[in-house]
mmCIF file of all heavy atoms in Angstrom:
data_model
loop_
_atom_site.group_PDB
_atom_site.id
_atom_site.type_symbol
_atom_site.label_atom_id
_atom_site.label_comp_id
_atom_site.label_asym_id
_atom_site.label_seq_id
_atom_site.Cartn_x
_atom_site.Cartn_y
_atom_site.Cartn_z
ATOM 1 N N GLU A 87 132.152 119.751 44.925
ATOM 2 C CA GLU A 87 132.708 121.089 45.162
ATOM 3 C C GLU A 87 133.505 121.597 43.961
ATOM 4 O O GLU A 87 134.377 120.925 43.431
ATOM 5 C CB GLU A 87 133.627 121.050 46.398
ATOM 6 C CG GLU A 87 134.177 122.410 46.785
ATOM 7 C CD GLU A 87 135.086 122.351 47.993
ATOM 8 O OE1 GLU A 87 135.357 121.242 48.475
ATOM 9 O OE2 GLU A 87 135.500 123.431 48.470
ATOM 10 N N GLY A 88 133.174 122.788 43.511
ATOM 11 C CA GLY A 88 133.947 123.458 42.471
ATOM 12 C C GLY A 88 133.643 123.048 41.051
ATOM 13 O O GLY A 88 134.298 123.503 40.114
ATOM 14 N N VAL A 89 132.618 122.189 40.827
ATOM 15 C CA VAL A 89 132.284 121.807 39.459
ATOM 16 C C VAL A 89 131.196 122.721 38.905
ATOM 17 O O VAL A 89 130.595 123.532 39.620
ATOM 18 C CB VAL A 89 131.822 120.316 39.385
ATOM 19 C CG1 VAL A 89 132.915 119.395 39.919
ATOM 20 C CG2 VAL A 89 130.507 120.097 40.122
ATOM 21 N N ASP A 90 130.951 122.569 37.602
ATOM 22 C CA ASP A 90 129.931 123.405 36.937
ATOM 23 C C ASP A 90 128.631 122.641 36.649
ATOM 24 O O ASP A 90 127.621 123.256 36.346
ATOM 25 C CB ASP A 90 130.507 123.940 35.624
ATOM 26 C CG ASP A 90 131.774 124.741 35.835
ATOM 27 O OD1 ASP A 90 131.704 125.772 36.530
ATOM 28 O OD2 ASP A 90 132.839 124.326 35.332
ATOM 29 N N LEU A 91 128.710 121.320 36.708
ATOM 30 C CA LEU A 91 127.551 120.495 36.405
ATOM 31 C C LEU A 91 127.695 119.160 37.142
ATOM 32 O O LEU A 91 128.779 118.592 37.205
ATOM 33 C CB LEU A 91 127.445 120.228 34.900
ATOM 34 C CG LEU A 91 126.339 119.285 34.437
ATOM 35 C CD1 LEU A 91 124.944 119.903 34.688
ATOM 36 C CD2 LEU A 91 126.483 118.955 32.949
ATOM 37 N N VAL A 92 126.568 118.679 37.698
ATOM 38 C CA VAL A 92 126.546 117.386 38.387
ATOM 39 C C VAL A 92 125.602 116.456 37.637
ATOM 40 O O VAL A 92 124.462 116.815 37.350
ATOM 41 C CB VAL A 92 126.096 117.527 39.848
ATOM 42 C CG1 VAL A 92 126.032 116.154 40.528
ATOM 43 C CG2 VAL A 92 127.046 118.448 40.611
ATOM 44 N N LEU A 93 126.075 115.253 37.317
ATOM 45 C CA LEU A 93 125.234 114.225 36.710
ATOM 46 C C LEU A 93 124.997 113.130 37.752
ATOM 47 O O LEU A 93 125.958 112.551 38.280
ATOM 48 C CB LEU A 93 125.920 113.611 35.478
ATOM 49 C CG LEU A 93 126.112 114.539 34.289
ATOM 50 C CD1 LEU A 93 126.917 113.832 33.202
ATOM 51 C CD2 LEU A 93 124.766 114.976 33.722
ATOM 52 N N ILE A 94 123.741 112.869 38.047
ATOM 53 C CA ILE A 94 123.362 111.834 39.011
ATOM 54 C C ILE A 94 122.797 110.661 38.234
ATOM 55 O O ILE A 94 121.771 110.773 37.559
ATOM 56 C CB ILE A 94 122.342 112.390 40.019
ATOM 57 C CG1 ILE A 94 122.951 113.575 40.778
ATOM 58 C CG2 ILE A 94 121.867 111.303 40.978
ATOM 59 C CD1 ILE A 94 121.959 114.339 41.632
ATOM 60 N N HIS A 95 123.460 109.511 38.314
ATOM 61 C CA HIS A 95 123.104 108.345 37.524
ATOM 62 C C HIS A 95 122.273 107.369 38.361
ATOM 63 O O HIS A 95 122.792 106.684 39.239
ATOM 64 C CB HIS A 95 124.362 107.647 37.018
ATOM 65 C CG HIS A 95 125.149 108.480 36.054
ATOM 66 N ND1 HIS A 95 124.909 108.482 34.692
ATOM 67 C CD2 HIS A 95 126.159 109.374 36.247
ATOM 68 C CE1 HIS A 95 125.741 109.315 34.104
ATOM 69 N NE2 HIS A 95 126.515 109.877 35.020
ATOM 70 N N GLY A 96 120.971 107.317 38.059
ATOM 71 C CA GLY A 96 120.070 106.444 38.795
ATOM 72 C C GLY A 96 119.220 107.216 39.785
ATOM 73 O O GLY A 96 119.361 108.447 39.943
ATOM 74 N N MET A 97 118.325 106.487 40.483
ATOM 75 C CA MET A 97 117.357 107.156 41.341
ATOM 76 C C MET A 97 117.408 106.670 42.796
ATOM 77 O O MET A 97 117.368 107.471 43.715
ATOM 78 C CB MET A 97 115.937 106.881 40.814
ATOM 79 C CG MET A 97 115.571 107.678 39.581
ATOM 80 S SD MET A 97 115.369 109.439 39.896
ATOM 81 C CE MET A 97 114.089 109.431 41.127
ATOM 82 N N PHE A 98 117.489 105.379 43.014
ATOM 83 C CA PHE A 98 117.222 104.837 44.342
ATOM 84 C C PHE A 98 118.487 104.673 45.175
ATOM 85 O O PHE A 98 118.816 103.580 45.633
ATOM 86 C CB PHE A 98 116.485 103.506 44.218
ATOM 87 C CG PHE A 98 115.216 103.598 43.440
ATOM 88 C CD1 PHE A 98 115.116 103.053 42.167
ATOM 89 C CD2 PHE A 98 114.116 104.278 43.933
ATOM 90 C CE1 PHE A 98 113.944 103.144 41.435
ATOM 91 C CE2 PHE A 98 112.937 104.400 43.214
ATOM 92 C CZ PHE A 98 112.851 103.823 41.955
ATOM 93 N N PHE A 99 119.220 105.760 45.350
ATOM 94 C CA PHE A 99 120.403 105.673 46.186
ATOM 95 C C PHE A 99 120.626 106.999 46.901
ATOM 96 O O PHE A 99 120.513 108.077 46.324
ATOM 97 C CB PHE A 99 121.636 105.214 45.393
ATOM 98 C CG PHE A 99 122.181 106.190 44.402
ATOM 99 C CD1 PHE A 99 123.418 106.781 44.604
ATOM 100 C CD2 PHE A 99 121.483 106.521 43.249
ATOM 101 C CE1 PHE A 99 123.942 107.686 43.685
ATOM 102 C CE2 PHE A 99 121.989 107.413 42.326
ATOM 103 C CZ PHE A 99 123.238 107.997 42.532
ATOM 104 N N TYR A 100 120.942 106.908 48.191
ATOM 105 C CA TYR A 100 121.058 108.053 49.074
ATOM 106 C C TYR A 100 122.131 109.044 48.622
ATOM 107 O O TYR A 100 121.905 110.250 48.667
ATOM 108 C CB TYR A 100 121.314 107.556 50.502
ATOM 109 C CG TYR A 100 121.422 108.642 51.529
ATOM 110 C CD1 TYR A 100 120.340 109.482 51.810
ATOM 111 C CD2 TYR A 100 122.603 108.811 52.250
ATOM 112 C CE1 TYR A 100 120.438 110.471 52.775
ATOM 113 C CE2 TYR A 100 122.695 109.804 53.220
ATOM 114 C CZ TYR A 100 121.629 110.626 53.469
ATOM 115 O OH TYR A 100 121.733 111.624 54.416
ATOM 116 N N PRO A 101 123.332 108.608 48.218
ATOM 117 C CA PRO A 101 124.345 109.593 47.791
ATOM 118 C C PRO A 101 123.888 110.474 46.623
ATOM 119 O O PRO A 101 124.334 111.613 46.506
ATOM 120 C CB PRO A 101 125.545 108.726 47.404
ATOM 121 C CG PRO A 101 125.377 107.488 48.244
ATOM 122 C CD PRO A 101 123.902 107.245 48.270
ATOM 123 N N GLY A 102 122.996 109.962 45.773
ATOM 124 C CA GLY A 102 122.462 110.795 44.699
ATOM 125 C C GLY A 102 121.659 111.957 45.236
ATOM 126 O O GLY A 102 121.744 113.092 44.741
ATOM 127 N N VAL A 103 120.879 111.699 46.284
ATOM 128 C CA VAL A 103 120.094 112.749 46.932
ATOM 129 C C VAL A 103 121.033 113.751 47.588
ATOM 130 O O VAL A 103 120.823 114.976 47.521
ATOM 131 C CB VAL A 103 119.128 112.139 47.964
ATOM 132 C CG1 VAL A 103 118.415 113.236 48.746
ATOM 133 C CG2 VAL A 103 118.103 111.251 47.266
ATOM 134 N N LEU A 104 122.106 113.257 48.226
ATOM 135 C CA LEU A 104 123.082 114.155 48.850
ATOM 136 C C LEU A 104 123.765 115.034 47.793
ATOM 137 O O LEU A 104 123.970 116.212 48.031
ATOM 138 C CB LEU A 104 124.153 113.330 49.577
ATOM 139 C CG LEU A 104 123.747 112.679 50.903
ATOM 140 C CD1 LEU A 104 124.927 111.884 51.464
ATOM 141 C CD2 LEU A 104 123.296 113.729 51.901
ATOM 142 N N ALA A 105 124.105 114.444 46.646
ATOM 143 C CA ALA A 105 124.746 115.210 45.585
ATOM 144 C C ALA A 105 123.835 116.326 45.108
ATOM 145 O O ALA A 105 124.288 117.463 44.864
ATOM 146 C CB ALA A 105 125.117 114.283 44.429
ATOM 147 N N ALA A 106 122.541 116.040 44.991
ATOM 148 C CA ALA A 106 121.591 117.064 44.567
ATOM 149 C C ALA A 106 121.508 118.194 45.598
ATOM 150 O O ALA A 106 121.466 119.364 45.254
ATOM 151 C CB ALA A 106 120.203 116.432 44.361
ATOM 152 N N LYS A 107 121.495 117.828 46.893
ATOM 153 C CA LYS A 107 121.442 118.846 47.946
ATOM 154 C C LYS A 107 122.685 119.728 47.936
ATOM 155 O O LYS A 107 122.601 120.951 48.067
ATOM 156 C CB LYS A 107 121.285 118.168 49.298
ATOM 157 C CG LYS A 107 119.907 117.579 49.536
ATOM 158 C CD LYS A 107 119.802 116.969 50.922
ATOM 159 C CE LYS A 107 118.401 116.418 51.174
ATOM 160 N NZ LYS A 107 118.296 115.766 52.515
ATOM 161 N N CYS A 108 123.846 119.080 47.754
ATOM 162 C CA CYS A 108 125.098 119.842 47.687
ATOM 163 C C CYS A 108 125.094 120.788 46.488
ATOM 164 O O CYS A 108 125.525 121.942 46.571
ATOM 165 C CB CYS A 108 126.294 118.899 47.581
ATOM 166 S SG CYS A 108 126.621 117.930 49.068
ATOM 167 N N ALA A 109 124.584 120.300 45.358
ATOM 168 C CA ALA A 109 124.536 121.112 44.143
ATOM 169 C C ALA A 109 123.602 122.303 44.310
ATOM 170 O O ALA A 109 123.934 123.443 43.947
ATOM 171 C CB ALA A 109 124.100 120.246 42.960
ATOM 172 N N ARG A 110 122.424 122.051 44.890
ATOM 173 C CA ARG A 110 121.470 123.148 45.085
ATOM 174 C C ARG A 110 122.043 124.193 46.028
ATOM 175 O O ARG A 110 121.902 125.402 45.796
ATOM 176 C CB ARG A 110 120.148 122.597 45.643
ATOM 177 C CG ARG A 110 119.295 121.864 44.624
ATOM 178 C CD ARG A 110 117.865 121.700 45.106
ATOM 179 N NE ARG A 110 117.790 120.867 46.280
ATOM 180 C CZ ARG A 110 117.585 119.551 46.266
ATOM 181 N NH1 ARG A 110 117.470 118.920 45.099
ATOM 182 N NH2 ARG A 110 117.504 118.864 47.380
ATOM 183 N N LYS A 111 122.696 123.749 47.092
ATOM 184 C CA LYS A 111 123.274 124.669 48.071
ATOM 185 C C LYS A 111 124.352 125.558 47.429
ATOM 186 O O LYS A 111 124.476 126.741 47.741
ATOM 187 C CB LYS A 111 123.873 123.882 49.224
ATOM 188 C CG LYS A 111 124.399 124.751 50.361
ATOM 189 C CD LYS A 111 124.884 123.902 51.524
ATOM 190 C CE LYS A 111 125.400 124.785 52.657
ATOM 191 N NZ LYS A 111 125.893 123.952 53.794
ATOM 192 N N ALA A 112 125.112 124.976 46.487
ATOM 193 C CA ALA A 112 126.192 125.717 45.816
ATOM 194 C C ALA A 112 125.745 126.435 44.560
ATOM 195 O O ALA A 112 126.546 127.091 43.899
ATOM 196 C CB ALA A 112 127.342 124.754 45.490
ATOM 197 N N GLY A 113 124.459 126.282 44.196
ATOM 198 C CA GLY A 113 123.963 126.905 42.979
ATOM 199 C C GLY A 113 124.447 126.248 41.711
ATOM 200 O O GLY A 113 124.552 126.901 40.649
ATOM 201 N N ILE A 114 124.743 124.954 41.769
ATOM 202 C CA ILE A 114 125.245 124.210 40.617
ATOM 203 C C ILE A 114 124.094 123.415 40.000
ATOM 204 O O ILE A 114 123.366 122.692 40.722
ATOM 205 C CB ILE A 114 126.359 123.205 41.041
ATOM 206 C CG1 ILE A 114 127.515 123.945 41.720
ATOM 207 C CG2 ILE A 114 126.862 122.404 39.854
ATOM 208 C CD1 ILE A 114 128.486 123.022 42.431
ATOM 209 N N PRO A 115 123.855 123.509 38.694
ATOM 210 C CA PRO A 115 122.794 122.713 38.088
ATOM 211 C C PRO A 115 123.142 121.223 38.128
ATOM 212 O O PRO A 115 124.305 120.862 38.023
ATOM 213 C CB PRO A 115 122.738 123.221 36.644
ATOM 214 C CG PRO A 115 124.082 123.808 36.395
ATOM 215 C CD PRO A 115 124.559 124.351 37.704
ATOM 216 N N TYR A 116 122.128 120.413 38.300
ATOM 217 C CA TYR A 116 122.347 118.962 38.230
ATOM 218 C C TYR A 116 121.326 118.304 37.302
ATOM 219 O O TYR A 116 120.221 118.827 37.121
ATOM 220 C CB TYR A 116 122.326 118.332 39.629
ATOM 221 C CG TYR A 116 120.979 118.246 40.303
ATOM 222 C CD1 TYR A 116 120.107 117.165 40.104
ATOM 223 C CD2 TYR A 116 120.597 119.237 41.209
ATOM 224 C CE1 TYR A 116 118.891 117.082 40.741
ATOM 225 C CE2 TYR A 116 119.365 119.176 41.874
ATOM 226 C CZ TYR A 116 118.513 118.079 41.634
ATOM 227 O OH TYR A 116 117.304 118.007 42.276
ATOM 228 N N VAL A 117 121.761 117.211 36.722
ATOM 229 C CA VAL A 117 120.948 116.452 35.769
ATOM 230 C C VAL A 117 120.803 115.033 36.305
ATOM 231 O O VAL A 117 121.783 114.441 36.753
ATOM 232 C CB VAL A 117 121.610 116.426 34.373
ATOM 233 C CG1 VAL A 117 120.878 115.492 33.431
ATOM 234 C CG2 VAL A 117 121.667 117.838 33.788
ATOM 235 N N VAL A 118 119.603 114.505 36.256
ATOM 236 C CA VAL A 118 119.364 113.122 36.668
ATOM 237 C C VAL A 118 119.267 112.253 35.413
ATOM 238 O O VAL A 118 118.457 112.531 34.512
ATOM 239 C CB VAL A 118 118.072 112.986 37.500
ATOM 240 C CG1 VAL A 118 117.803 111.504 37.823
ATOM 241 C CG2 VAL A 118 118.164 113.806 38.764
#
Side-chain angles (χ1 to χ4, degrees):
E87 184 180 6
V89 302
D90 303 298
L91 176 66
V92 178
L93 294 175
I94 299 170
H95 295 272
M97 286 290 302
F98 304 109
F99 70 111
Y100 182 63
V103 174
L104 285 179
K107 287 182 178 179
C108 292
R110 286 196 296 267
K111 185 176 180 180
I114 303 167
Y116 71 87
V117 172
V118 176

